[in-house]
């Protein structure tokens, strides 16, 4: 019988490797196309579980939004929480970050959606401060600084302030010891100056009609004067309102400051001059309800023409702008902070136009 040759055998038999490859090809699962991320997220949100997770986080987010939106309705009598909240109101936006982290960790759709409220409220209150609103073309530069009673280098502080280029320089917390130092160091740059108690104004322009302003504090901590500018008279107020004390049991003590704010607001309201500037350490922010009488008739240069929040205190790590420049009848063109001195406050400055 004829045997098949080797060539015929090779043609009719499959190697084991080829058989394995064929079997694998026959049994390999078919890959499904990947679902787009947005579609997967939409499917996840349609499930009830993500909406049921994190009810506490969602409630806290809503509470934060309502707290910021209704800050003016927080009772002032309860440890003065209203004033405390309004002083540090911009910082409440930071609570969004841990709430968002918790919502993502818990995969809570309800908490993420609830966070829309505090974010929207915060942006409506402070979003405008995140852009630079300064413009060129100022006619007058003014600056204010609480130089600090414990300032170890008043001479150096005076020289730094003189180099700022300000036409008007309002100082607060002048001590009997440091006042002559400031007078001597600033005399060359500012030929005109006036003081009343612990506050003073140094000017490159003539001053007249100067008098103290009664804000129920002794020694005097407020004055009013008229600056003779090329564009006409400018009424300038320099003030240092009462300090705020924080007690864990009693909360914020602001009675003396609030009384001074009312007195200063009344003086400005009775001011006959068309153009008015208030410079000083008011020991409070313009968001604080205690200054409604003052901010209702004047504008903050930082809000109108600044860049950022302009926090001025404490100098080492500023958390609030309590050193203010407020105007009426003139146009804020720019607002900025000057470099730190030996004080625990940062100097503030602004460019004004007629």
């Amino acid at each position: 019988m004829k045997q098949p040759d080797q060539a015929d055998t090779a043609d009719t038999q499959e190697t084991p490797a080829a058989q394995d490859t064929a079997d694998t090809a026959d049994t390999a699962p078919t890959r499904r196309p990947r679902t787009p991320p947005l579609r997967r997220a939409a499917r996840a949100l349609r499930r009830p579980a993500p909406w049921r997770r994190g009810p506490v986080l969602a409630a806290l987010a809503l509470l934060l939004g309502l707290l910021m939106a209704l800050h003016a309705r927080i009772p002032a009598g309860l440890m003065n929480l209203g004033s405390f909240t309004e002083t540090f109101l911009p910082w409440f936006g930071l609570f969004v970050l841990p709430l968002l982290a918790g919502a993502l960790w818990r995969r809570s759709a309800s908490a993420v959606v609830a966070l829309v409220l505090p974010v929207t409220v915060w942006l409506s209150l402070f979003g405008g401060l995140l852009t630079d609103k300064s413009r060129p073309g100022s006619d007058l530069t003014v600056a204010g600084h609480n130089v600090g009673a414990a300032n170890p280098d008043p001479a150096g502080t005076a020289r730094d302030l003189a180099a700022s280029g300000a036409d008007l320089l309002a100082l607060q917390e002048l001590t009997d010891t440091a006042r002559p130092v400031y007078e001597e160091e600033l005399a060359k740059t500012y030929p005109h100056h006036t003081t009343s108690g612990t506050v003073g104004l140094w000017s490159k322009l003539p001053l007249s009609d100067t008098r103290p302003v009664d804000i129920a504090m002794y020694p005097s901590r407020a004055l009013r004067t008229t600056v003779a500018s090329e564009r006409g008279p400018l009424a300038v107020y320099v003030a240092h309102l009462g300090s705020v004390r924080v007690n864990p049991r009693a909360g914020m003590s602001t009675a003396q400051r609030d009384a001074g704010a009312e007195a200063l607001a009344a003086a400005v309201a009775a001011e006959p001059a068309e153009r008015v500037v208030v410079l000083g350490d008011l020991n409070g922010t313009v968001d604080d309800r205690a200054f409604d009488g003052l901010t209702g008739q004047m504008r903050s240069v930082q809000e109108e023409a600044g860049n950022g929040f302009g926090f001025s205190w404490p100098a080492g790590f500023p958390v609030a702008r309590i050193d203010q420049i407020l105007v009426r009848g003139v146009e804020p063109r720019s607002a900025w902070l000057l470099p730190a001195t030996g004080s625990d406050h940062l100097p503030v400055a602004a460019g004004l136009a007629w």
Side-chain angles (χ1 to χ4, degrees), residues 117-176:
L117 176 62
V119 171
T120 302
V121 173
W122 192 92
L123 289 175
S124 67
L125 291 173
F126 305 111
L129 295 174
L130 301 179
T131 59
D132 186 357
K133 298 177 290 299
S134 61
R135 295 167 291 167
S138 61
D139 299 313
L140 191 73
T141 301
V142 301
H145 188 30
N146 180 327
V147 294
N151 190 326
D153 185 18
T157 297
R159 288 191 293 269
D160 290 341
L161 294 174
S164 69
D167 300 298
L168 302 178
L169 181 60
L171 303 184
Q172 306 90 48
E173 214 163 287
L174 296 168
T175 64
D176 293 336

Side-chain angles (χ1 to χ4, degrees), residues 61-349:
L62 294 175
L63 182 62
L64 177 61
L66 292 174
L67 178 69
M68 291 190 291
L70 304 176
H71 64 86
R73 298 183 178 273
I74 299 175
L78 182 61
M79 299 180 67
N80 213 354
L81 287 179
S83 183
F84 180 85
T85 300
E86 290 165 339
T87 298
F88 301 103
L89 194 59
W91 294 95
F92 277 72
L94 291 179
F95 289 112
V96 169
L97 299 179
L99 289 175
L100 177 60
L104 295 177
W105 179 67
R106 291 280 294 136
R107 298 181 180 180
S108 171
S110 58
V112 172
V113 172
L115 281 170
V116 173
L117 176 62
V119 171
T120 302
V121 173
W122 192 92
L123 289 175
S124 67
L125 291 173
F126 305 111
L129 295 174
L130 301 179
T131 59
D132 186 357
K133 298 177 290 299
S134 61
R135 295 167 291 167
S138 61
D139 299 313
L140 191 73
T141 301
V142 301
H145 188 30
N146 180 327
V147 294
N151 190 326
D153 185 18
T157 297
R159 288 191 293 269
D160 290 341
L161 294 174
S164 69
D167 300 298
L168 302 178
L169 181 60
L171 303 184
Q172 306 90 48
E173 214 163 287
L174 296 168
T175 64
D176 293 336
T177 303
R179 186 184 299 106
V181 178
Y182 288 105
E183 291 175 339
E184 179 180 356
E185 295 291 338
L186 297 173
K188 184 177 180 180
T189 306
Y190 300 97
H192 312 279
H193 88 280
T194 182
T195 62
S196 178
T198 62
V199 301
L201 181 70
W202 276 257
S203 173
K204 295 180 180 180
L205 304 171
L207 304 176
S208 63
D209 194 18
T210 302
R211 59 180 182 270
V213 177
D214 183 11
I215 58 171
M217 297 195 71
Y218 181 84
S220 176
R221 289 172 59 163
L223 65 82
R224 182 262 183 221
T225 190
T226 299
V227 177
S229 74
E230 295 180 354
R231 300 296 186 92
L234 175 71
V236 176
Y237 287 77
V238 182
H240 183 193
L241 300 185
S243 299
V244 173
R245 299 286 183 261
V246 179
N247 186 304
R249 294 183 178 180
M252 286 182 64
S253 175
T254 63
Q256 192 176 46
R257 184 207 64 181
D258 295 350
E262 291 182 9
L264 183 60
V268 172
E271 173 60 53
E274 178 184 355
R275 303 180 182 93
V276 184
V277 176
V278 172
L279 301 109
D281 174 6
L282 304 188
N283 275 308
T285 70
V286 293
D287 297 310
D288 195 319
R289 68 191 69 182
F291 299 100
D292 287 350
L294 195 58
T295 56
Q297 53 183 320
M298 307 196 77
R299 296 184 291 165
S300 164
V301 297
Q302 183 65 29
E303 292 192 349
E304 294 280 338
N307 181 15
F309 292 91
F311 295 148
S312 62
W313 176 89
F317 187 81
V319 297
R321 184 181 177 91
I322 64 175
D323 301 275
Q324 306 293 348
I325 302 177
L326 308 176
V327 298
R328 184 181 77 193
V330 294
E331 190 68 24
R333 289 288 182 172
S334 55
W336 64 95
L337 295 169
L338 295 173
T341 68
S343 171
D344 59 342
H345 292 243
L346 293 176
V348 295

